[in-house]
Amino acid sequence: MITYGYARVSAKDQNLQRQIASFIEFGIEKCRIFSDKKSGKDFERKEYKKLVKKLKSGDLLVIKSIDRLGRNYDQIIAEWAHITSDLGADILVLDMPLLDTRTKTETLVGKFISDIVLQVLSFVAQNERENIKQRQADGIRIARQNGVKFGRPRKKYTDEFISIATDYIQKRISLKTALNLSGAKQDNFFYHIRKIKSGKI
């Protein structure tokens, strides 16, 4: 039997160390700890896929909490079944000792409780994700109502560029002269000419 650890955070600027430290304390070797810095919306994660390929019957997968495995209710249930039933490996959730499939051979009640807890926690994980998305959407809507603008800031044109563009639009100078004076490439120059003509400056 080999014990593996899997850690995940959603963003590259988030820290994995707390999860990894809990695995090391549990006795898992560093070389058997896999981690991803990617959203838990699905299981398309490079290190996670590597880990699952290594899992064999009798192995143990340790995760810190159920939402580190994923955040989609249906996918978590399906992935849990794939690991425990198809691959024959066990799963232990450190923050929720009831979620330990190693108890499944001991009592039917233990298996029943584990399944119920898994479904409840998987639902909670997805529900929290949807709540976060809703809060973000509400925040953006309120910010827009208050005049906050999102996206790339509009380019501020210099008086010199406006003068060159105006001379070109009014055919006082050639395209070649306009490009030389502005230092812009042709495609980029035409892009800004269109914006100036449309008044989006």
Side-chain angles (χ1 to χ4, degrees), residues 45-186:
R45 306 173 219 141
K46 184 179 177 181
E47 292 301 308
Y48 180 79
K49 284 185 170 182
K50 283 184 185 177
L51 166 61
V52 172
K53 284 182 179 179
K54 288 180 175 290
L55 286 174
K56 300 289 188 297
S57 180
D59 288 345
L60 174 64
L61 169 60
V62 180
I63 55 176
K64 179 69 173 157
S65 57
I66 194 66
D67 63 344
R68 298 306 89 199
L69 186 62
R71 287 189 179 275
N72 181 292
Y73 174 78
D74 292 328
Q75 289 184 8
I76 292 173
I77 299 297
E79 193 67 14
W80 187 281
H82 172 62
I83 291 171
T84 59
S85 300
D86 300 339
L87 301 180
D90 284 306
I91 304 176
L92 166 64
V93 180
L94 292 177
D95 286 353
M96 182 59 64
L98 280 174
L99 285 177
D100 182 354
T101 62
R102 292 174 299 177
T103 63
K104 67 187 176 187
T105 56
E106 295 177 10
T107 65
L108 184 60
V109 173
K111 176 69 166 62
F112 177 68
I113 291 173
S114 180
D115 286 347
I116 290 177
V117 173
L118 169 64
Q119 295 210 27
V120 170
L121 291 182
S122 298
F123 171 79
V124 169
Q126 179 172 335
N127 192 55
E128 176 59 18
R129 178 170 176 263
E130 290 174 356
N131 286 341
I132 289 171
K133 288 172 68 177
Q134 185 58 51
R135 288 196 296 270
Q136 289 172 338
D138 290 344
I140 290 170
R141 177 178 53 78
I142 292 168
R144 281 180 173 154
Q145 288 174 351
N146 291 330
V148 176
K149 297 187 182 298
F150 295 88
R152 295 173 63 182
R154 289 183 177 178
K155 180 178 177 65
K156 292 183 179 179
Y157 297 102
T158 62
D159 291 341
E160 182 184 6
F161 185 86
I162 295 291
S163 176
I164 294 167
T166 302
D167 285 345
Y168 171 75
I169 291 168
Q170 296 179 356
K171 299 183 178 179
R172 290 197 290 264
I173 60 175
S174 67
L175 174 62
K176 183 177 180 180
T177 300
L179 294 177
N180 285 336
L181 290 172
S182 66
K185 292 184 178 180
Q186 184 171 310

Side-chain angles (χ1 to χ4, degrees), residues 155 157 191-201:
K155 180 178 177 65
Y157 297 102
Y191 167 77
H192 293 299
I193 287 294
R194 287 193 296 272
K195 288 190 69 175
I196 291 170
K197 283 183 174 179
S198 68
K200 295 178 179 179
I201 60 173

